[in-house]
Amino acid sequence: MPRPVRDGPWSPGAYLTYSSERTQPFTDLLNRTGATEPKYIVDLGCGPGNGMAALRQRWPDAQILGVDSSADMLERARQSTEGDSGIEYQHMDIRTLELEHKADLIVSNAALQWIPEHRGLLPHVQRQLAPSGILAVQIPGNFAEPSHRLLAEFAAQEPYREHIDPASMLQRTAEVSDYMHDVAGPSWHVEGWETTYHHVLQGENPVYDWVAAAAARPVLRGLPEKLREQFTAEYKEALRQAYPRTDLGTILRFRRLFFIARSTQ
């Protein structure tokens, strides 16, 4: 059985600590879709539903389906959109996606990178679109930054590495041009771009809090409690040095990759 996109319990509260910063790339993606009045929208990897408000504000009459493999995330999402009969949720691994109705717009914000073989899934996702449908995707491209580089370096060291399955860690994503080729074809119009955000975070260990809620999660879950405490202390200290606090707060550089494929059929 394939490993779920979001394996094991997630903490929606921790993930939403920086909700506005995590949602901004989604808003920027929606601004570029070119969709006018989509009747049926699917959000792949909808998480705790932090993008639903942006979808509903932009397309108030659309039917929206949120898909995620984390029951905890979906429960939080249902609570956040309670009372909106036009929004439904489905507990599903993106790899087994089969829509009952073809979608006019499929969006995915920072979710596909959790699937090692996500590039090979893109044509299947495109087949779930209606004629003239649009696929719009954002994924992180931040793996060369200290937040991710230090995580990989610490995870590869003793005494941690024997407890961590390398396959469970996020793998480096491809480049924008690679994804554009993945979704290109005779009946598709494709575009792509990247943006590096400079988030100003507050708190004692804000970069650790950010990464621990997402990219570092598989590493932290794999470690026994005592080693997890040791790993956390060392990783936090390294992050504090890599991301010093300033008068503004702690500035986190975060590179995001975007690509859109529009069916011309």
Side-chain angles (χ1 to χ4, degrees):
M1 177 177 290
R3 183 172 55 82
V5 179
R6 302 183 185 276
D7 56 328
W10 275 69
S11 173
Y15 187 83
L16 289 170
T17 299
Y18 299 107
S19 177
S20 62
E21 290 86 356
R22 295 189 191 277
T23 305
Q24 185 60 55
F26 189 49
T27 302
D28 296 342
L29 177 68
L30 298 184
N31 288 339
R32 293 278 290 268
T33 62
T36 52
E37 296 182 4
K39 296 179 180 179
Y40 185 40
I41 301 171
V42 177
D43 184 352
L44 294 183
C46 66
N50 50 304
M52 288 299 172
L55 289 170
R56 175 54 76 222
Q57 181 178 13
R58 188 174 296 269
W59 296 293
D61 299 322
Q63 293 292 311
I64 304 173
L65 174 66
V67 173
D68 206 282
S69 67
S70 167
D72 294 327
M73 288 289 201
L74 288 176
E75 179 58 29
R76 183 62 173 264
R78 289 188 181 96
Q79 293 173 7
S80 70
T81 57
E82 188 175 3
D84 189 331
S85 60
I87 299 179
E88 297 181 346
Y89 296 95
Q90 189 167 355
H91 188 205
M92 182 192 300
D93 189 323
I94 295 173
R95 283 170 288 202
T96 61
L97 180 71
E98 291 291 345
L99 298 179
E100 184 176 350
H101 305 288
K102 298 291 186 181
D104 301 299
L105 173 63
I106 296 178
V107 296
S108 186
N109 183 52
L112 293 182
Q113 76 278 1
W114 288 98
I115 307 173
E117 69 275 24
H118 64 274
R119 291 181 63 188
L121 290 176
L122 291 171
H124 173 70
V125 174
Q126 288 174 272
R127 288 193 289 272
Q128 307 300 310
L129 287 168
S132 301
I134 300 170
L135 171 65
V137 176
Q138 181 275 126
I139 54 176
N142 215 44
F143 296 88
E145 292 294 320
S147 56
H148 291 63
R149 180 173 48 78
L150 289 168
L151 176 66
E153 290 176 0
F154 277 110
Q157 296 175 6
E158 295 292 355
Y160 309 122
R161 64 181 181 185
E162 63 182 282
H163 300 281
I164 299 168
D165 177 8
S168 71
M169 295 183 62
L170 280 177
Q171 305 299 311
R172 181 182 292 268
T173 48
E175 294 300 317
V176 172
S177 57
D178 298 318
Y179 291 112
M180 293 174 69
H181 284 293
D182 291 339
V183 297
S187 58
W188 293 91
H189 174 76
V190 175
E191 68 171 298
W193 71 98
E194 64 179 67
T195 300
T196 299
Y197 296 84
H198 289 71
H199 301 300
V200 180
L201 309 181
Q202 306 297 333
E204 185 66 26
N205 297 288
V207 178
Y208 172 81
D209 293 340
W210 177 291
V211 180
R217 184 175 157 276
V219 174
L220 298 174
R221 290 185 66 244
L223 294 171
E225 184 175 356
K226 289 187 178 180
L227 281 183
R228 188 185 310 124
E229 293 175 358
Q230 178 179 325
F231 181 95
T232 298
E234 294 177 357
Y235 185 40
K236 281 183 176 179
E237 179 57 30
L239 289 175
R240 280 193 290 266
Q241 294 188 32
Y243 299 92
R245 190 183 304 182
T246 72
D247 292 341
L248 293 175
T250 301
I251 299 176
L252 172 66
R253 278 174 47 96
F254 207 108
R255 177 174 174 250
R256 302 278 184 176
L257 313 180
F258 301 80
F259 59 96
I260 295 176
R262 301 180 182 88
S263 172
T264 59
Q265 292 182 334

